[in-house]
Amino acid sequence: MLNTVDYGGKEADIVHALEEDIIFGRLAPGTRLVEDVLLARFPVSRHTIRQALYQLERLGVATRERNKGATVRRLAPEEVRQIYEVREMLQRQAALMIRLPASEALIAELIEIHRVYSAHVDAGYLRGIHEANDRFHLTMFSACGNAYLVSSIEHYMRLSLPVRANSLADRDKLEISRQHHLMMIEALKRSDNWVLAQLCVDHLQPSKAFYLREVEMGPVGRDAGQG
């Protein structure tokens, strides 16, 4: 889901809209979130805008500096590596805790979510792709039976949004993701948690590798690689 925390009223609408802009690349990492610009876009008080920016910072998708204001969070390579190290540990542990073979009800629910996900991929509907993907993984990990572990997984999924967003419009990465989902469903029908755990870790790698490559190449390296 794009925003699972309820802030209430207009503030929640602003948080949702800006988070969506960040996820889908309309606001690139490092972009300043200028209060006056946001006031022109959203007919609310300056206090409401500031509260929305605070919530975006709390969610990990924006940063605020004294006398500089808020910006879309830009993850440095070492931050990405550390976030993904934690994601890998959390998701591996959750996968190891799922009782296998999984219940028919869980399998059926994941198959339906994957059907919706695939339909959104085919249609190129970015918001639907993002929401169905998160719902697939959180539904699967919820089967581990530890709500605190699942909450931690969700938190680090959100922290990695700038990394994950680059896959939403990339057909090759989406096809890999679609195949991984099917492989996870098959693994849930069997009895080897280690196979499922490794799939969950492997699933994280394409977006991370692409983001790190783009950041470490920099603008000069990217331009040199074109044509």
Side-chain angles (χ1 to χ4, degrees):
M1 302 290 290
L2 285 178
N3 184 28
T4 58
V5 182
D6 181 13
Y7 301 114
K10 295 179 180 179
E11 184 182 318
D13 294 337
I14 297 168
V15 171
H16 183 91
L18 293 177
E19 187 180 11
E20 188 172 281
D21 285 346
I22 292 168
I23 291 167
F24 302 144
R26 295 190 286 267
L27 291 173
T31 301
R32 289 189 63 211
L33 299 172
V34 181
E35 289 183 9
D36 288 341
V37 173
L38 296 177
L39 283 167
R41 176 179 174 184
F42 302 104
V44 297
S45 68
R46 189 175 295 274
H47 173 75
T48 301
I49 292 292
R50 288 176 176 171
Q51 285 300 111
L53 293 175
Y54 168 76
Q55 299 300 348
L56 287 170
E57 181 183 33
R58 182 168 171 262
L59 290 169
V61 296
T63 59
R64 294 190 303 167
E65 294 184 51
R66 188 177 180 84
N67 299 323
K68 290 186 178 180
T71 59
V72 177
R73 187 175 184 189
R74 185 196 303 275
L75 293 173
E78 188 56 30
E79 288 182 292
V80 173
R81 293 188 180 95
Q82 291 183 16
I83 288 170
Y84 272 78
E85 284 174 358
V86 177
R87 286 194 70 190
E88 290 167 13
M89 288 188 289
L90 293 172
Q91 296 188 188
R92 180 184 290 111
Q93 183 60 34
L96 291 173
M97 292 169 62
I98 296 173
R99 184 186 292 268
L100 298 182
S103 69
E104 292 183 5
L106 176 61
I107 297 296
E109 185 175 6
L110 290 173
I111 288 173
E112 174 58 19
I113 296 172
H114 179 69
R115 183 194 66 76
V116 173
Y117 174 80
S118 292
H120 291 324
V121 169
D122 292 337
Y125 178 37
L126 299 184
R127 178 176 176 178
I129 293 169
H130 173 76
E131 291 184 343
N133 179 72
D134 281 10
R135 188 161 64 251
F136 180 93
H137 292 291
L138 292 174
T139 298
M140 180 178 68
F141 290 129
S142 292
C144 77
N146 187 320
Y148 295 97
L149 177 54
V150 176
S151 178
S152 296
I153 289 171
E154 185 173 13
H155 174 67
Y156 278 90
M157 286 172 65
R158 190 176 296 280
L159 284 181
S160 63
L161 280 176
V163 181
R164 299 164 58 207
N166 73 71
S167 298
L168 289 175
D170 189 305
R171 293 292 304 197
D172 290 339
K173 292 188 186 69
L174 289 173
E175 286 304 320
I176 292 172
S177 178
R178 183 147 53 179
Q179 291 302 313
H180 283 177
H181 287 181
L182 290 173
M183 292 167 69
M184 289 175 194
I185 290 171
E186 288 304 309
L188 285 163
K189 297 176 182 178
R190 306 182 189 283
S191 302
D192 193 335
N193 286 80
W194 286 102
V195 170
L196 177 62
Q198 191 59 49
L199 283 170
C200 292
V201 171
D202 291 345
H203 186 65
L204 300 175
Q205 305 312 312
S207 293
K208 180 183 74 171
F210 180 82
Y211 186 92
L212 288 174
R213 185 164 62 248
E214 288 290 291
V215 170
E216 291 172 345
M217 283 176 62
V220 174
R222 285 195 293 273
D223 291 343
Q226 295 175 353

